[in-house]
Amino acid sequence: MPYEICNHVFASLPQMERGVAKVLGGDPKGNNFLYTNGKSVIIRNINNPAIADIYTEHPHQVTVAKYAPSGFYIASGDVSGKIRIWDTTQKEHLLKYEYQPFGGKIKDIAWTEDSKRIACVGEGREKFGAVFLWDTGSSVGEISGHSKVINSVDIKQTRPYRLISGSDDNCGAFFEGPPFKFKFSITDHSRFVNCVRFSPDGNRFCTAGADGQIFLYDGKTGEKICALGGAKAHEGGVYAVSWSPDSSQLISASGDKTVKLWDVGTSTALTTFNMGADVMDQQLGCLWQKDHLLSVSLSGYINYLDKSNPDRPLRTIKGHSKSIQSLTVHKNGGRSYIYSGSHDGHINILSLGGGHTGENNDFSGKGHSNLVTKMAVDDADQLVTCSMDDTVRFTSVTKKEYRWVQTRSIMLILTVYKKKVFTLDSLDYEPEAGAIHPGGSTAAVGGADGKVRLYSVQGNTLKDEGKSVEAKGPVTDMAYSKDGAYLAVTDEKKVVTVFTVADNYSVKNDFYGHHAKVVTLAWSPDNEHFASGGMDMMVYVWTVNDADKRLKIPDAHRLHHVSGLAWIDEHTLVTTSHDASVKQWTLKF
């Protein structure tokens, strides 16, 4: 029996929201960092971010995740108020404990240095925070003193323990413990307090706010020391701060599109990292991990900052932060490239092979402004993309710059062949999918009525000669095999039907196995196999000549159905999904 191995996960970027801080977590050993996107927690290797792992056990959107100081566990919190504590050492990430400290979105989590107590804060209904023992859930104090949502919390990593919090009520709060008791409010900020963090040595802590201010305090007493940068640390709101391992410096991320490196002793900025001029260049998160200084832009891009060249990051991790809707693969110069288009119109280029495996890139210039529905590379090495913004784009894959745009209403059926764009309008049926025979003589159009109509290609027009074949239900996707011998059609009745082209489109085989609507398919280069993906989150790899011989990939993306399939070669399949990640599977027959 054939089997499959998922040998690479190309992870999504953090899910970002304008004006909302993004908390990054750091592995205490300094090897990994983590963040959240949708219902997933993504763990990435800091030296090689292409190495990633995804935790997918939350039933609701995850908002924050933090390593325990021991490094053995991660605590992650979601919008429902659930905290899950799970193992980092096993591939399965077994659940250790689950708690519901309050009902509502969890916005930040902090551990004590012995990994025994956890504080969490957020948008609770009756209360905005809780502190409890990690192994029993028993309360070890009360987080009070705030009248609005608490955005941030941290615990001093040396004894005596102290806890600080920052809230939308423009105040911070200082607690002594355990058990933690409210001591006093910090009222220096004039707007929301977005982030509070203790220095690793526990001697100081800082608060950062939407007023552009960062204040320093004594870690043990809570006494104010100074304001960084005098009157204002940043021109825009400050969303995140992160201390250096030696507690002498810190970085701050701001909506003014800069990150600043501060010397704590002199309270002055040593370096200002200018991250761009676009609104998507606002900085909403940061992390100082060993020698690495990271920041996160509103775009979701993760920047590795360079102290010696503040205007150009050492590297920028690109990718998708929204659900992926379309996919194609293209070989160029001996290397394979995966092109994927997402819900927000973003197109990502993922290179495979050589020293650049897993490196993401994008096209320069103004791209699509809405969901990318289909894409393919034509004979002239142009990426042809069709979008819900009513445009088709022809973009050179070598120049990597958005160029020629053709505007069409995508309410029409639209399919592209050798730089020709065919449109069919005034139809008496609802078209759902289209495909052109590799020989260029026939265009097949599948309808919501379950019929596949066959048009002959004549110059720049499609001629209806009254030929059609029947699928088992409303058509969802279709594709010709690479050699043009077969046409495969998927439908809402959970069936894939393969027609033999040379035999006047007679039915070769019907393929049953999916438990829900089949939504996408792709032919292998060997023309003997094809893959299908359904709403049941299953991927099947079928053998054309034997409908019973199939390879099943259950839960290919765990949380969502597969939205795109493409083959790199006859043993390597690529899948994309609404989880914004790309997976590469090695198939052995």
Side-chain angles (χ1 to χ4, degrees), residues 305-436:
L305 306 177
D306 185 354
K307 290 183 198 174
S308 58
N309 186 4
D311 293 332
R312 187 182 176 87
L314 289 165
R315 70 193 299 182
T316 299
I317 313 274
K318 299 179 179 180
H320 289 290
S321 58
K322 301 280 188 356
S323 64
I324 301 174
Q325 304 284 339
S326 53
L327 167 72
T328 193
V329 168
H330 178 59
K331 281 191 169 65
N332 191 2
R335 185 177 290 166
S336 293
Y337 294 87
I338 299 170
Y339 296 92
S340 49
S342 59
H343 190 82
D344 55 358
H346 176 70
I347 293 172
N348 185 65
I349 311 160
L350 178 60
S351 62
L352 304 176
H356 299 286
T357 291
E359 196 171 285
N360 291 288
N361 209 336
D362 55 8
F363 294 106
S364 61
K366 188 167 171 53
H368 288 294
S369 60
N370 207 332
L371 188 153
V372 181
T373 53
K374 284 284 183 184
M375 51 170 56
V377 178
D378 67 11
D379 295 343
D381 281 347
Q382 292 183 117
L383 180 69
V384 186
T385 52
C386 175
S387 167
M388 296 284 278
D389 63 7
D390 290 351
T391 65
V392 181
R393 287 181 178 271
F394 296 78
T395 307
S396 166
V397 297
T398 49
K399 291 180 181 170
K400 293 186 174 64
E401 184 183 355
Y402 289 111
R403 299 292 291 188
W404 177 36
V405 181
Q406 182 154 350
T407 305
R408 295 275 182 191
S409 168
I410 67 146
M411 295 305 289
L412 314 174
I413 181 67
L414 185 152
T415 189
V416 179
Y417 175 74
K418 290 187 185 292
K419 294 193 183 176
K420 296 172 186 171
V421 178
F422 305 107
T423 58
L424 295 166
D425 48 17
S426 305
L427 299 173
D428 59 357
Y429 66 94
E430 194 176 331
E432 295 290 344
I436 291 192

Side-chain angles (χ1 to χ4, degrees), residues 50-252:
I51 300 170
D53 192 7
I54 305 179
Y55 178 78
T56 56
E57 298 301 317
H58 274 273
H60 302 283
Q61 183 186 336
V62 200
T63 44
V64 60
K66 289 279 191 72
Y67 272 95
S70 67
F72 297 136
Y73 294 97
I74 288 170
S76 49
D78 63 28
V79 294
S80 75
K82 278 218 167 56
I83 296 258
R84 292 177 70 89
I85 301 166
W86 40 279
D87 176 86
T88 62
T89 59
Q90 307 293 317
K91 193 176 187 301
E92 295 79 21
H93 299 309
L94 298 173
L95 180 69
K96 187 75 173 172
Y97 303 107
E98 183 179 68
Y99 302 113
Q100 178 116 27
F102 52 81
K105 184 196 286 188
I106 289 171
K107 300 195 73 172
D108 202 6
I109 291 170
W111 294 75
T112 51
E113 46 76 36
D114 57 6
S115 301
K116 290 183 176 171
R117 301 169 191 83
I118 295 174
C120 61
V121 297
E123 299 178 10
R125 295 182 188 93
E126 298 84 25
K127 58 180 183 177
F128 304 119
V131 200
F132 55 89
L133 291 171
W134 86 294
D135 55 352
T136 64
S138 305
S139 174
V140 281
E142 196 175 78
I143 296 184
S144 56
H146 289 294
S147 59
K148 289 184 179 174
V149 172
I150 304 178
N151 298 314
S152 186
V153 67
D154 204 17
I155 297 173
K156 184 167 168 275
Q157 294 296 293
T158 54
R159 292 175 185 269
Y161 289 147
R162 299 288 184 265
L163 184 148
I164 44 166
S165 56
S167 165
D168 273 6
D169 62 10
N170 303 352
C171 294
F174 187 81
F175 301 79
E176 292 180 351
F180 289 99
K181 290 190 179 70
F182 173 75
K183 199 74 179 164
F184 56 82
S185 289
I186 296 166
T187 57
D188 296 309
H189 287 281
S190 58
R191 294 187 64 197
F192 299 166
V193 181
N194 291 323
C195 187
V196 295
R197 292 292 180 258
F198 275 101
S199 60
D201 63 11
N203 291 337
R204 297 184 180 92
F205 68 86
C206 65
T207 63
D211 53 6
Q213 297 267 50
I214 302 171
F215 295 105
L216 273 185
Y217 303 86
D218 182 275
K220 192 174 173 184
T221 65
E223 195 178 318
K224 183 177 170 183
I225 298 171
C226 67
L228 291 187
K232 253 191 180 184
H234 283 273
E235 291 306 310
V238 185
Y239 289 99
V241 291
S242 187
W243 288 83
S244 64
D246 68 0
S247 302
S248 69
Q249 297 177 331
L250 60 84
I251 52 172
S252 57

Side-chain angles (χ1 to χ4, degrees), residues 460-483:
N460 287 321
T461 60
L462 298 179
K463 188 179 179 192
D464 185 357
E465 295 184 340
K467 287 175 68 175
S468 67
V469 293
E470 297 279 342
K472 297 290 184 289
V475 175
T476 54
D477 198 13
M478 60 200 313
Y480 281 98
S481 58
K482 312 294 181 189
D483 61 3

